[in-house]
Structures are given as structure tokens and as C-alpha cells.
Amino acid sequence: MIKNKELENIKKIKSDWEKNYYMPHVKKHPERRKKFENLSWNEINNLYTPEDVAHIDYIKDIGFPGLYPFLRGIHPNLHRGRLWTFRQFSGFGSAEETNQRYKYLLDHGETGLSVAFDYPTLYGYDTDHAMSRGEFGKCGVAISSLQDMEILFKEIPIDKVTTSMTINGPAAIVWGFYIANAENRGINRRIIGGTIQNDILKEYIAQKSFIFPPEPSMRLIVDTFEFGYKEIPRWNTISISGYHIREAGSTAVQELAFTVGDGIEYVKWAMKRGLKIDDFAPRLSFFFNSHNDFFEEIAKYRAARRIWAKGLKKLGAKKSRSLLMRFHTQTAGVSLTAQQPEINITRVTLQALAAVLGGTQSLHTNSMDEALALPSEKAVRIALRTQQIIAEESGVTSTVDPLGGSYYIEWLTDKMEEETYQYWDRVEKLGGVLPAIEKGFYQREIANAAYKYQKEIEEKKRIVVGVNEYKMDEPVDIPILKMDEKGEERQINRLKKLRKDRNKQKYERTIKALRKAAEDNENLMPYILDCVHSYATLGETCQVLRDVFGEYEEPAIY
């Protein structure tokens, strides 16, 4: 910490610099904007000095990597020891097509799998359901049964490769498919590793692929926490996601505040059940966006680690591992442009670099063509190579938290933490997370931010290269992915055969047991697994829970 006398001297010299050098220069050479702001509309000063971070106690507030409050990273040597997991989010069409894409990615250096599901799957419908018509495989792979999961991971070493699955409403059922597939292949469930997103709160807040009302949804999530730490100790039973909050139009501060706040809420619900925080907290993980404002994103990740560590400590966590915020990052899909798609490679590179400098444990880099279609093989290979160049050629992994100590970064990290707590106070005044959702607080905050951002683009207060400036009138000339037109027909025929060939008595017995367990408030994971092993489909299993829990309808909030 700098002594008061030295600070006074810095303050005086800065004042003289502004008066005698900076202002006269600006008078002759005016600045490009009257006011410089980041994407959370925080005004950015022309210069940061020790004066801006004088209140910070280095040991208490910043510390060292691997030590509380983990601002500088959760591991002492971070990427000097082990690189982040290269995990490209992938899925389209049928299980067969996506299986081939996974093998392609693994052959080209991907180190972890990440499954994107189509919308019928996200909503708990089978491919042959009326609600699935026209949506098969369009934004992810269609998975309607254990049989589909077996095809999806055919010849892939799931005992060695970790898998992340982005699914929420029916997450417990799809996780059951994955567990059962491993068991059917003779792989002990205790050695499989990966993550289910399983974050229903952000569905109510932003993405909207919820199924059940909040209370039974939270019950299901706590069921997975309890089952997970007892039975599948290497699995992250939730990935608390700010990504979709940001994609819906939030600011970086809103993403930070709402995401970590949701995490705290899940912990409280699990503790209310009687689970011990140090049993389940080490398997909680996070998922963040990496957007365009380079320094703001880095500060966001640093602040998130400190806020989480403080919050878990306050709730009674004793183990150091319980305080660690482990997170995956995906570059900002919403920032990609259909215009001049090749320049998305540059956007993604900067966003990925921010994630790495911010200390991510896992990373997905978007492909240049994702504003137009699901990624082609060429586009996804370039996206993966972007990560590999950052890892192997840039030198940014040679030291831990290389931007730590920057006056600007430390000031901005503090600022984002302060604004997070201000948001939490507002949520608390509304009665907590669930009441705030029901009152539309989060939804309005995000909508207002999205509107303001879009208005600035339209008024050219913010420049988006290729969209509102530096435009070109030329046709798009990159390869676009085309799916197998027969995939949906194969999937529906497979479902018909599965329902005909499975053991009918076993199926009916397990479905009946699940219904009774749901009504009796038991942990549902063992019953879901029994249904899955009897080849009950996603839609059939989900319908039981719909019958017991009901379906959620979002109230009118605007």
C-alpha cells in the first residue's frame, strides 16, 4: 500500500499534468468522444494511477493465485501447469451426424466435448411430438432416448474425455441418459466426468426454456446435487450460467451480479434441504460470456472469483475447494455479424484472449459463420485453432494473471464488485431471487440494457464494424453447413421401434415408481435412472413430471 505522502505527491503531479499537458493537448487535438464508456456504461477516465486503487489492501483484497480470495486465479500456477479445456459447443441434426463432428473435433485437438441440444430436447419433447415439428436438429442434436445417447457417444472414450451438456428443464433426465450409457458400456459411474448446465434460474431470467414452476425445478436441481456428490463425484452437477443472460442483452455487470446471485441461491436451497455446503459446493461450476470490451471482461472474471469466495465463506464453507469458482467461457454469439463473417475471427480472438487472461478453466470459441448457420467443419476448425494459437504461440500463459496490478484493471474489478452488491440489495428488497423473477425485475433490467445498446448502435454512438460502419455490398462467400435431410425420418422410425421392442412391464413399472416418488418428495435421480434404463423416452419421462409438477407460465411483466 502506498504511503499517504507519496499519494499526495502523485495527486499533485497528476493535477499539474492534466492542467499543463493533457488539457492543452486536447484543446489542439480534440478527443473522439465527449465521454468514454464501457459496455456497462461505466465512464472510463483518461488515466488511472495509484490514487484510484489506494483503498485496496493487496494481501486482503487481491492476494496470490490459489489463495483466498482467489482474485488472481484458483490455481497457483494456472495455465503454466495445465491449459484450459478446449471445448467446442457442438450438435446438430441426428445423433449420428453429431457423433461424426465430435470425432472430427477430437482428431483436431479438442480436449473436452460440449453438447448442444435442439429445442424439442431442451423442452423435454421427443422428436415425434407435435411440438417438435420443424425444429429437429436445428440448433443442436436431437436426443429422445438412451438409444440416441448411445449413438451420440459411440466409440468415444467417455471414461477419459469430459462432457458438458447444455440443458436445463429436463437436465436430470438427459444426465440419466449419459450415466446409463456409461454403465451399459461397463464404465463405473464414479469415474465419468463432465457438467450438466442444470441452471433453471437463468431460464426464467433470460433464455426461457423452462418447463416446470420454480419450486419443483429447484427441487430437481438439489436432487442432482445430492445424488452427484454421493454417486458421481467427478461430475459438476450445475453450470451456473451468465452466458445466456448476456446473450439476452444484459451488461457485464448484470451478467456478473445475476449469475453469482443465482449461485448463492442454489447453495441456500441445498442447505435448506440439509446438505452440507462442503459436500456439494466443490462440484458447482460457472459459465460466462466473453464480450467485446476486453478489459471489462477480464475484470468481470476476477471480480466473480472474489465475490463467490466471500459469499461461500459467509455461508459457512470451510474447505478451500468449496470457495473456488471454476468456470467455462464462451465467446459472445450475440457479437457475431452476418455481414463480412470472416471478421468474426478477429472478434472471437480478442474475446478468447480476454477469457484466458481472466483465468478460465474451459473455453469455446465461436465460429465465423454462426450468425448464418451452425458451424461448418472449416469454420469450427479455425475457431479451435484460434484457441491453440493463444495457448501455444502468444506467450500469455507464461505468467499468472499478467494484468493484475494494472491500476485500471484493479479499479474496474472493484467497481464491478461494488455494483454487484448494489444489485443484490435491490433483489433482497424485492424478497429474494424467486420473487424478483416473478415480479419481472431481471427481465426488465436486461430488456432496458438491450434496448439502450441497440439504440446506440443505430445512432452510431457505438460502432459495429461491417454493420453500421465500414460496410461492404458483397455476397457471403463461405461454406455453409447442410444437414442430412433423412435424419429426422431415421430418428422417428428409431423411436417407433424402441417403443415396440422394449420390455413393456419394466417400462410401466419404472414410470409408475417415478410418478409416486415425485408425489412423495423423494430424490428423483434413482427413479429417473431406472426409467432411462427401461428405455423410457425423454418425452415420456418428462411428461410424468409435467403431470405432477405442472408447467410454468411466465406472468405478464411489461
Side-chain angles (χ1 to χ4, degrees):
M1 191 178 289
I2 299 176
K3 295 177 182 177
N4 289 337
K5 187 175 179 182
E6 189 177 352
L7 278 174
E8 285 300 317
N9 192 38
I10 290 170
K11 187 175 181 180
K12 179 180 179 302
I13 293 171
K14 183 186 175 186
S15 178
D16 290 342
W17 169 78
E18 285 183 329
K19 180 181 176 182
N20 298 317
Y21 293 90
Y22 184 77
M23 295 311 297
H25 183 83
V26 169
K27 195 172 181 180
K28 289 181 182 178
H29 308 281
E31 295 186 334
R32 293 179 292 112
R33 303 172 195 162
K34 288 183 179 179
K35 186 165 65 171
F36 286 78
E37 295 177 318
N38 63 19
L39 294 183
S40 295
W41 294 289
N42 287 316
E43 186 170 357
I44 306 305
N45 296 338
N46 58 359
L47 186 72
Y48 288 85
T49 72
E51 186 184 356
D52 296 289
V53 295
H55 62 287
I56 295 176
D57 182 317
Y58 180 85
I59 300 299
K60 177 173 168 287
D61 299 324
I62 298 177
F64 292 86
L67 295 179
Y68 182 85
F70 305 104
L71 181 80
R72 304 199 69 181
I74 63 170
H75 300 303
N77 64 344
L78 196 60
H79 301 133
R80 284 169 62 98
R82 177 183 170 185
L83 292 171
W84 60 92
T85 303
F86 300 178
R87 195 185 296 279
Q88 293 299 116
F89 187 44
S90 308
F92 60 91
S94 65
E96 292 92 340
E97 290 174 278
T98 298
N99 174 266
Q100 291 305 307
R101 174 59 63 89
Y102 290 164
K103 289 173 180 174
Y104 176 86
L105 287 166
L106 290 168
D107 286 346
H108 284 83
E110 180 170 83
T111 55
L113 298 175
S114 184
V115 186
F117 298 96
D118 72 357
Y119 257 94
T121 306
L122 294 178
Y123 281 107
Y125 293 118
D126 293 336
T127 296
D128 58 357
H129 193 280
M131 292 291 287
S132 302
R133 192 168 298 156
E135 291 294 331
F136 171 80
K138 286 191 174 177
C139 70
V141 63
I143 298 295
S144 298
S145 70
L146 170 56
Q147 195 173 62
D148 293 337
M149 190 68 81
E150 290 167 342
I151 294 167
L152 184 65
F153 289 98
K154 186 179 180 181
E155 298 172 349
I156 290 174
I158 57 175
D159 54 338
K160 297 180 175 66
V161 175
T162 60
T163 302
S164 173
M165 295 186 285
T166 301
I167 194 157
N168 298 282
I173 302 168
V174 173
W175 188 34
F177 289 156
Y178 193 88
I179 298 165
N181 175 40
E183 291 176 332
N184 286 353
R185 289 171 57 174
I187 299 169
N188 190 314
R189 64 168 68 163
R190 298 189 70 83
I191 69 169
I192 59 173
T195 303
I196 41 169
Q197 190 162 101
N198 204 21
D199 176 9
I200 205 62
L201 291 176
K202 63 90 178 164
E203 295 299 328
Y204 301 119
I205 290 170
Q207 195 179 28
K208 312 300 181 184
S209 63
F210 46 73
I211 302 173
F212 317 115
E215 285 78 9
S217 292
M218 293 295 280
R219 167 194 168 183
L220 273 169
I221 288 167
V222 177
D223 285 352
T224 63
F225 287 4
E226 185 175 33
F227 183 81
Y229 82 77
K230 290 178 179 177
E231 299 290 330
I232 311 181
R234 293 186 61 225
W235 200 275
N236 300 321
T237 44
I238 195 167
S239 176
I240 304 151
S241 175
Y243 185 83
H244 305 90
I245 291 171
R246 192 66 176 283
E247 292 289 289
S250 82
T251 66
V253 167
Q254 288 169 343
E255 179 193 358
L256 174 62
F258 300 167
T259 306
V260 185
D262 286 352
I264 296 293
E265 185 72 5
Y266 289 123
V267 172
K268 289 178 179 177
W269 274 73
M271 292 175 71
K272 199 173 170 182
R273 169 82 65 89
L275 305 188
K276 294 179 181 177
I277 190 170
D278 284 318
D279 284 341
F280 68 86
R283 299 319 306 183
L284 308 184
S285 63
F286 285 79
F287 175 21
F288 287 110
N289 198 295
S290 190
H291 212 289
N292 282 335
D293 194 303
F294 188 72
F295 295 116
E296 184 179 33
E297 295 305 300
I298 294 165
K300 179 184 73 183
Y301 306 131
R302 300 172 87 249
R305 282 192 292 268
R306 186 163 66 190
I307 295 166
W308 181 246
K310 286 180 180 178
L312 270 284
K313 197 171 189 180
K314 190 175 180 181
L315 288 171
K318 297 287 189 285
K319 292 180 181 176
S320 179
R321 188 161 174 76
S322 300
L323 308 178
L324 304 183
M325 173 181 273
R326 297 167 300 114
F327 65 92
H328 170 73
T329 308
Q330 181 173 339
T331 57
V334 75
S335 74
L336 302 179
T337 62
Q339 301 89 333
Q340 302 176 50
E342 295 91 343
I343 64 175
N344 288 322
I345 297 170
T346 306
R347 289 189 179 99
V348 167
T349 301
L350 289 168
Q351 293 165 3
L353 183 59
V356 171
L357 290 171
T360 194
Q361 277 69 62
S362 173
L363 180 61
H364 164 94
T365 35
N366 288 329
S367 299
M368 63 177 171
D369 54 359
E370 289 192 55
L372 299 163
L374 292 172
S376 68
E377 282 194 352
K378 180 176 182 180
V380 78
R381 187 176 69 247
I382 291 170
L384 180 58
R385 294 287 182 257
T386 300
Q387 293 199 48
Q388 292 163 339
I389 288 170
I390 291 172
E392 305 292 354
E393 298 184 24
S394 71
V396 299
T397 60
S398 297
T399 189
V400 182
D401 188 31
L403 293 181
S406 155
Y407 304 130
Y408 175 42
I409 287 289
E410 300 299 356
W411 171 85
L412 187 53
T413 301
D414 258 23
K415 178 72 173 170
M416 295 184 82
E417 181 172 1
E418 176 191 331
E419 292 187 0
T420 292
Y421 293 138
Q422 289 171 3
Y423 262 118
W424 287 11
D425 288 342
R426 292 172 67 187
V427 169
E428 198 61 35
K429 285 174 184 174
L430 291 169
V433 173
L434 293 190
I437 288 171
E438 289 163 358
K439 291 169 184 173
F441 168 74
Y442 298 103
Q443 298 92 317
R444 277 190 298 272
E445 287 292 308
I446 294 169
N448 290 339
Y451 173 76
K452 184 176 178 181
Y453 180 72
Q454 184 60 32
K455 196 164 182 287
E456 289 183 349
I457 291 172
E458 290 171 6
E459 293 172 353
K460 287 195 173 183
K461 291 179 180 176
R462 288 194 189 273
I463 299 301
V464 179
V465 175
V467 175
N468 63 357
E469 195 63 271
Y470 313 111
K471 295 187 280 188
M472 294 181 69
D473 185 16
E474 63 177 11
V476 173
D477 186 26
I478 58 173
I480 298 296
L481 177 73
K482 291 182 180 178
M483 291 184 285
D484 181 358
E485 294 178 1
K486 297 290 186 182
E488 184 173 12
E489 184 182 334
R490 281 201 311 272
Q491 174 95 346
I492 290 172
N493 288 337
R494 186 159 60 233
L495 271 169
K496 286 179 183 176
K497 188 173 188 306
L498 179 145
R499 293 191 184 108
K500 181 183 174 184
D501 293 348
R502 70 191 173 192
N503 184 315
K504 186 179 178 183
Q505 289 75 26
K506 184 179 179 183
Y507 160 74
E508 289 177 348
R509 184 176 67 251
T510 57
I511 284 287
K512 184 178 178 181
L514 174 63
R515 186 181 302 274
K516 186 173 187 306
E519 292 169 345
D520 291 348
N521 210 29
E522 294 185 57
N523 188 309
L524 297 183
M525 275 308 303
Y527 299 93
I528 288 171
L529 267 173
D530 286 344
C531 288
V532 166
H533 272 297
S534 74
Y535 285 89
T537 69
L538 172 68
E540 292 164 345
T541 311
C542 206
Q543 189 58 48
V544 172
L545 302 182
R546 279 187 165 97
D547 292 343
V548 177
F549 299 150
E551 293 187 74
Y552 182 67
E553 291 186 14
E554 188 172 37
I557 57 173
Y558 298 110

